[in-house]
Amino acid sequence: MADLTTNFIGITSPNPFWLASAPPTDKEYNVRRAFEAGWGGVVWKTLGEAGPPVVNVNGPRYGAIYGADRRLLGLNNIELITDRPLEVNLKEMRRVKRDWPDRALIASLMVPVNEDAWREILQRVEDTGCDGVELNFGCPHGMSERGMGSAVGQVPEYVGQVAYWCKKHSNLPVIVKLTPNITDIRKPAQAAKEGGADAVSLINTINSITSVDLDLFAPEPTIDGQGAHGGYCGPAVKPIALNMVAEIARDPATAGLPISGIGGVTTWRDAAEFMALGAGNVQVCTAAMTYGFKIVQEMISGLSQYMDDKGFTSVDQLVGRAVPNVVNWKDLNLNYVTKAKINQDDCINCGRCYAACEDTSHQAIAMSEDRVFTVKDDECVACNLCVNVCPIEGCITMERMAAGMVDPRTGEVVREEYANWTTHPNNPGRCAAE
Amino acid sequence: MRDRQLAPGIVAGRIDAAALQGNFTDLHPPLDDHEALVAADRCYFCHDAPCITACPTSIDIPLFIRQIATGTPEAAAKTILSQNILGGMCARVCPTETLCEEACVREAAEGQPVLIGRLQRYATDRLMDKGVHPFRRAAPTGRRVAVVGAGPAGLACAHRLAMKGHDVTLYDGRAKPGGLNEFGIAAYKSTDSFAAREVDWLMQIGGITLATGQRLGREIVLDQLRQDHDAVFLGIGLGGVNALGLAGEDREGMRDAVDFISELRQADDLSRLPVGRDVVVIGGGMTAVDAAVQAKLLGALNVTLVYRRGRDRMNASRYEQDLAASKGVRIVTNATPIAVHGNGAVREVEFEYSDDDLRPTGERFRLAADQVFKAIGQTLEGADLPALDGRKIAVSDRGRTSLPGVWAGGDCAAGGDDLTVTAVAEGRDAAEDIHATLMAEG
Ligand SMILES: Cc1cc2nc3c(=O)[nH]c(=O)nc-3n(C[C@H](O)[C@H](O)[C@H](O)COP(=O)(O)OP(=O)(O)OC[C@H]3O[C@@H](n4cnc5c(N)ncnc54)[C@H](O)[C@@H]3O)c2cc1C
Ligand SMILES: Cc1cc2nc3c(=O)[nH]c(=O)nc-3n(C[C@H](O)[C@H](O)[C@H](O)COP(=O)(O)O)c2cc1C
Ligand code: SF4
């Protein structure tokens, strides 16, 4: 079994699987059970200022999107930060950290944008013995209406400013948690780095309305006939999160800035993908809320098996490995020619590939009288749609045409050498080929 | 061909080799990757899952299914085997319809449980096909343990003890290890020499010396074993069979079902194995069903299984009964054998219908029979054994017997169902207790 020990900005944990700041980490009882189940660390549910805590709605706070077989794919919430008194949370954090010294315990914080407020809360959390702080600039509902959460995260200057205050008033490692509700994720990441933050974590939840009650004419979750937009998370947001992580990892201005990857991590594979794109560890919320703490066991066994198979002896060897392969469109090799191929032994003759290609793509699949489906190489543009809609994994594959063969669609010989758009004859702004 | 099938008496080659081969392939063919993913996708990853509770070895079923779903069947296999080292065989032979799959919440929801048994086979096959043994033996402790009986109970016990670093000698009276996995389980459940392959794979742990042809009460005696070892585990199964107690029981053609099955399991060429044209099986358990089905698959024309009580009292599960029926076995219930007719060889068995309390009704009938298999239960054999509880060795919940330093488990021990998986659980748990005891002794 590969060693999964992770060192993230100086914080070690037995594995890279942390629970994200959310209900699973809202109290001592949960966190102790999470550690017993094997989680490497937790980011405690976001703490606010001292004084009367925030209040949550008393009606439903979650909405969901399902896939086939009622598999939960996306979750939306209108919950606020912790609604328990600061003092209680701090006491519990201290106790838990004392009993679980080998696990990471991070305090998530959200207070108004003023230096005193941050200085004050930092001093109080330092006393707990926690390993670091995460600044919650991400919550997109409720708190943002009060000038906090994503209202901060959407203004890079504020992000940098608060990160700066935190480094100034505390020795703890500082992670800035970013909101995805922004056009260019690189800007707040750059600001965090410039402010002195040790790392960024992303993504927090995405503004969303999961569904509308068509009798009440109100968004769900519905509270007394009305609803508010909430934060979307779970498997459905993973692609958005992966891209944002990759954008930061490959931006020269932030390259090398440690990233904690969040958003839809459900299996070891999701985690490995985030890590390959540059995340030093991952945080999980919805998967734990859907299946319970025990899922971490699959993440641990799966990642170690994968690392053993790859010959990796430490998670560092995985982190960032895919980053160099994330490029811009213009850099993609236009001489890479593939054709879809249907494996007739695996095909169950459902015809979904045919419907997709015939109705919406390039009319490149033929259907015989007896329902045999075959690809017409002279029409196939290799869009991949048939692969995506086929219910049998691996039945339709994309096969590369070897150099020297003639692409029956274009009538052109497939070229060996790499060539991209920047040198393509159709590109009016092309650079001269060498 | 037809005339061979009609030939009276007990003859070989009733059906051709191709048909035979088809008949004796896997009852449940292995799942391919796609089937496994679809099946795994149905698991809800229940909390404190009822299937785990229903498994005598408490395999973490939701976890292993999730590991299959996420493309790591090898990790899944390790989850299975850490609880049940014979997880491969159990995946093939467990009556899942009365164990894990009966408890599956999707059985309650849709009457269609997750295919736990077949997913278990998918995972364990994958690991074993790679030749990987996922456990390592701890540093040797210098303790010596005798395990008597190399069936599921003895094998599970020996493996767990060896893993803990003890030196195990595994004795068996037969020439081959495996117990009923090798000699008893229906051929279509354990194809392709799986029992033998599994034992070889299990032995890779190291620290187990196999001593075959060593029968307790013949080559070896319990007292001596106790003197020579730090602990003894008895997993000797049920070596004897119950008799009908009828006149004519020794007529030619009358046979114990377990002998027939054992011969079948060891046959290299099934087309040379003789079987009757009209076969009658007496009994209502797994052995009776297996004998009846396999007689039918060998080409017997008429196979009738006769059980003395009602259908719901049969030990064979409803699933097994339906399997028998689907293969063409006729099941007659509430009938007790009262006479074996024939001159030298059996020609007919006479039965009398009885009610559920076995009270005779006076209504009688005869079944033509050139071969009769008796399957009315196996019994413990052997002298100088620890104290009995009824007809089996009395044990505590950790397998301790009345004799200090002697543990027992599996079919020979009282309590628990006579199932492969129960034998594994009892062997494993006794090993844990032996280990704890030996280590506490310092
Ligand atoms: C025909 C048949 C079909 C079955 N089908 C199924 C099934 O489909 N599913 C299922 O779960 N269960 C089934 N069972 C039950 C299952 O096989 C047993 O419960 C299980 O094998 C018990 O394991 P064991 O280790 O206790 O005993 P056994 O498997 O009987 O092994 C005992 C071992 O001890 C050896 N031995 C016996 N006496 C001595 C001695 N004096 N000295 C040395 N060695 C000795 C034997 O040679 C044997 O190797 C079936 C049983 C039979 C008879
Ligand atoms: C109910 C709920 C409450 C949350 N509360 C917080 C919070 O207090 N602070 C925070 O930083 N993120 C909060 N989040 C966001 C999660 O920490 C996480 O960033 C997000 O859910 C994406 O990860 P996931 O797809 O694994 O759920 C919350 C999410 C949910 C579902
Ligand atoms: S999950 Fe628990 S707290 Fe939430 S609605 Fe259900 S019972 Fe109530």
Side-chain angles (χ1 to χ4, degrees):
Chain A
M1 273 254 299
D3 180 10
L4 299 185
T5 305
T6 308
N7 182 333
F8 184 74
I9 57 169
I11 304 167
T12 53
S13 55
N15 61 56
F17 307 112
W18 291 6
L19 283 168
S21 175
T25 62
D26 196 14
K27 53 176 113 65
E28 177 174 2
Y29 175 81
N30 295 16
V31 172
R32 283 188 187 275
R33 291 182 67 240
F35 284 162
E36 278 155 22
W39 291 90
V42 303
V43 183
W44 203 275
K45 173 75 180 171
T46 304
L47 309 175
E49 285 188 290
V54 302
V55 295
N56 271 299
V57 294
N58 297 301
R61 46 180 101 157
Y62 307 135
I65 294 291
Y66 300 100
D69 206 9
R70 215 175 140 87
R71 175 165 302 245
L72 190 143
L73 296 182
L75 187 72
N76 145 303
N77 84 89
I78 52 169
E79 178 177 285
L80 304 183
I81 61 175
T82 184
D83 54 15
R84 304 184 321 136
L86 177 63
E87 204 41 62
V88 173
N89 277 305
L90 294 174
K91 237 188 260 161
E92 293 183 358
M93 288 165 68
R94 191 177 304 121
R95 278 202 296 262
V96 173
K97 182 63 203 179
R98 186 195 58 209
D99 292 349
W100 294 88
D102 70 322
R103 308 300 168 94
L105 195 154
I106 311 296
S108 168
L109 307 176
M110 184 197 287
V111 295
V113 186
N114 87 54
E115 188 165 358
D116 289 342
W118 285 96
R119 187 182 53 225
E120 202 162 303
I121 187 108
L122 282 164
Q123 279 163 1
R124 304 197 63 176
V125 298
E126 270 196 1
D127 277 353
T128 63
C130 69
D131 299 294
V133 293
E134 186 178 80
L135 316 185
N136 178 355
F137 297 153
C139 184
H141 46 263
M143 302 313 290
S144 55
E145 295 168 15
R146 305 175 199 180
M148 292 181 271
S150 65
V152 179
Q154 286 162 342
V155 184
E157 295 75 36
Y158 294 169
V159 171
Q161 178 66 69
V162 179
Y164 175 77
W165 291 335
C166 291
K167 285 310 286 183
K168 181 171 148 201
H169 294 298
S170 153
N171 293 322
L172 289 172
V174 172
I175 305 168
V176 171
K177 185 165 179 180
L178 302 178
T179 175
N181 299 302
I182 189 165
T183 319
D184 186 348
I185 196 70
R186 295 173 299 180
K187 294 294 182 289
Q190 288 163 10
K193 188 180 177 195
E194 280 155 20
D198 299 279
V200 290
S201 58
L202 68 162
I203 57 174
N204 208 310
T205 54
I206 304 175
N207 266 333
S208 63
I209 291 175
T210 36
S211 54
V212 176
D213 184 316
L214 288 179
D215 297 316
L216 294 175
F217 297 101
E220 299 197 41
T222 309
I223 297 187
D224 199 18
Q226 297 180 311
H229 69 77
Y232 198 42
C233 51
V237 310
K238 185 184 101 174
I240 296 164
L242 281 178
N243 175 55
M244 290 185 165
V245 165
E247 286 295 285
I248 294 171
R250 72 194 187 94
D251 177 6
T254 46
L257 178 67
I259 302 171
S260 184
I262 318 172
V265 174
T266 310
T267 68
W268 72 267
R269 196 177 280 278
D270 302 325
E273 291 173 14
F274 270 96
M275 294 171 80
L277 285 178
N281 72 5
V282 293
Q283 298 183 28
V284 177
C285 168
T286 305
M289 289 179 69
T290 312
Y291 301 106
F293 289 145
K294 195 176 125 179
I295 45 154
V296 74
Q297 293 180 21
E298 178 279 331
M299 297 183 187
I300 292 170
S301 70
L303 185 64
S304 20
Q305 179 174 327
Y306 169 75
M307 287 182 32
D308 286 345
D309 289 350
K310 289 281 169 212
F312 297 158
T313 50
S314 124
V315 291
D316 297 342
Q317 293 163 6
L318 168 62
V319 174
R321 233 181 156 91
V323 175
N325 294 328
V326 184
V327 296
N328 291 332
W329 191 97
K330 68 177 168 52
D331 298 320
L332 296 171
N333 184 4
L334 294 173
N335 283 341
Y336 178 79
V337 180
T338 63
K339 298 286 172 191
K341 188 162 174 242
I342 302 173
N343 180 337
Q344 298 300 338
D345 291 340
D346 290 343
C347 178
I348 56 172
N349 308 105
C350 66
R352 285 176 67 169
C353 58
Y354 181 84
C357 191
E358 190 69 11
D359 292 0
T360 70
S361 296
H362 301 269
Q363 296 75 46
I365 294 180
M367 173 179 173
S368 72
E369 293 270 294
D370 54 347
R371 291 187 75 84
V372 175
F373 298 92
T374 43
V375 174
K376 301 182 228 167
D377 283 354
D378 55 344
E379 299 290 351
C380 175
V381 302
C383 72
N384 212 38
L385 183 64
C386 53
V387 174
N388 299 140
V389 302
C390 177
I392 309 288
E393 56 292 321
C395 172
I396 310 182
T397 47
M398 281 294 166
E399 303 292 329
R400 183 176 191 172
M401 294 189 74
M405 291 170 76
V406 175
D407 179 347
R409 181 174 69 89
T410 58
E412 281 173 24
V413 175
V414 176
R415 309 265 294 275
E416 173 87 62
E417 69 277 9
Y418 162 94
N420 64 38
W421 174 245
T422 60
T423 56
H424 196 278
N426 291 15
N427 179 358
R430 71 179 173 277
C431 1
E434 283 162 29
Chain B
M1 208 60 252
R2 189 76 194 146
D3 45 347
R4 238 15 217 149
Q5 200 158 34
L6 294 181
I10 305 176
V11 301
R14 288 188 176 274
I15 54 176
D16 65 42
L20 266 178
Q21 206 190 343
N23 283 354
F24 283 92
T25 51
D26 263 313
L27 180 61
H28 301 295
L31 297 176
D32 65 23
D33 292 342
H34 171 72
E35 290 169 318
L37 286 177
V38 172
D41 207 44
R42 292 189 66 235
C43 173
Y44 284 147
F45 202 70
C46 299
H47 172 71
D48 192 9
C51 52
I52 305 182
T53 313
C55 170
T57 54
S58 310
I59 292 172
D60 192 338
I61 294 162
L63 178 60
F64 96 68
I65 294 182
R66 194 167 179 84
Q67 288 167 320
I68 291 176
T70 59
T72 52
E74 298 82 1
K78 199 168 170 190
T79 300
I80 296 162
L81 298 162
S82 62
Q83 284 295 107
N84 179 336
I85 195 65
L86 298 187
M89 182 59 83
C90 287
R92 291 162 164 80
V93 308
C94 273
T96 52
E97 64 279 2
T98 59
L99 298 170
C100 51
E101 291 180 15
E102 182 178 55
C104 176
V105 301
R106 301 208 72 160
E107 169 68 28
E110 294 125 24
Q112 280 308 342
V114 174
L115 299 176
I116 299 169
R118 295 177 76 187
L119 284 167
Q120 179 169 321
R121 172 163 177 193
Y122 174 80
T124 49
D125 277 2
R126 279 289 278 270
L127 189 83
M128 289 174 69
D129 287 350
K130 285 190 167 175
V132 174
H133 189 93
F135 303 105
R136 256 199 238 129
R137 180 161 150 78
T141 60
R143 299 311 175 93
R144 295 157 42 85
V145 184
V147 172
V148 188
L155 286 167
C157 183
H159 184 273
R160 186 54 65 101
L161 288 168
M163 203 165 93
K164 303 269 185 195
H166 307 295
D167 288 325
V168 181
T169 309
L170 179 55
Y171 298 95
D172 200 287
R174 298 223 198 205
K176 263 192 197 176
L180 290 171
N181 286 357
E182 178 64 44
F183 296 96
I185 296 295
Y188 46 78
K189 292 184 188 170
S190 169
T191 56
D192 202 13
S193 311
F194 182 75
R197 285 192 287 126
E198 188 178 43
V199 173
D200 289 344
W201 170 87
L202 177 148
M203 298 290 281
Q204 287 176 27
I205 188 73
I208 306 175
T209 310
L210 182 64
T212 52
Q214 301 289 311
R215 199 176 165 74
L216 190 70
R218 201 174 60 199
E219 289 81 8
I220 49 177
V221 288
L222 188 53
D223 275 348
Q224 192 64 43
L225 287 179
R226 293 175 72 195
Q227 280 173 36
D228 297 345
H229 299 83
D230 298 300
V232 178
F233 175 80
L234 299 176
I236 55 177
L238 301 173
V241 285
N242 290 328
L244 290 171
L246 288 181
E249 197 169 338
D250 53 356
R251 279 192 204 290
E252 210 180 298
M254 300 285 296
R255 201 167 179 205
D256 289 323
V258 286
D259 290 342
F260 163 67
I261 292 169
S262 156
E263 187 181 348
L264 187 145
R265 284 295 307 279
Q266 299 304 310
D268 293 330
D269 180 0
L270 288 177
S271 66
R272 310 228 320 243
L273 189 70
V275 69
R277 182 184 70 180
D278 302 307
V279 174
V280 170
V281 181
I282 300 170
M286 200 110 78
T287 307
V289 166
D290 284 2
V293 170
Q294 290 177 109
K296 189 76 195 157
L297 297 178
L298 270 180
L301 194 61
N302 300 304
V303 179
T304 313
L305 182 153
V306 187
Y307 177 57
R308 59 187 180 149
R309 298 182 198 267
R311 261 218 173 200
D312 46 338
R313 298 281 295 272
M314 282 176 74
N315 266 335
S317 67
R318 190 73 200 195
Y319 172 85
E320 297 278 345
Q321 297 172 32
D322 290 348
L323 173 73
S326 77
K327 301 293 178 194
V329 173
R330 180 177 164 224
I331 298 177
V332 176
T333 55
N334 292 97
T336 308
I338 52 171
V340 178
H341 301 288
N343 183 5
V346 55
R347 295 293 302 273
E348 282 179 332
V349 189
E350 186 169 1
F351 295 88
E352 177 165 1
Y353 283 115
S354 46
D355 66 13
D356 278 349
D357 298 318
L358 299 181
R359 277 188 299 260
T361 60
E363 292 296 326
R364 297 182 173 190
F365 64 98
R366 291 181 178 207
L367 290 176
D370 31 38
Q371 196 168 30
V372 177
F373 295 128
K374 296 178 283 180
I376 55 165
Q378 286 101 259
T379 53
L380 179 62
E381 259 188 347
D384 299 329
L385 293 172
L388 301 189
D389 169 3
R391 301 168 70 189
K392 294 183 167 197
I393 300 173
V395 285
S396 73
D397 57 355
R398 289 150 177 204
R400 297 181 185 191
T401 69
S402 61
L403 297 177
V406 181
W407 281 255
D411 284 0
C412 69
D417 293 325
D418 287 350
L419 293 175
T420 310
V421 64
T422 311
V424 171
E426 292 171 4
R428 176 200 69 188
D429 293 348
E432 289 290 347
D433 194 48
I434 293 171
H435 172 71
T437 307
L438 295 186
M439 296 334 270
E441 282 167 6

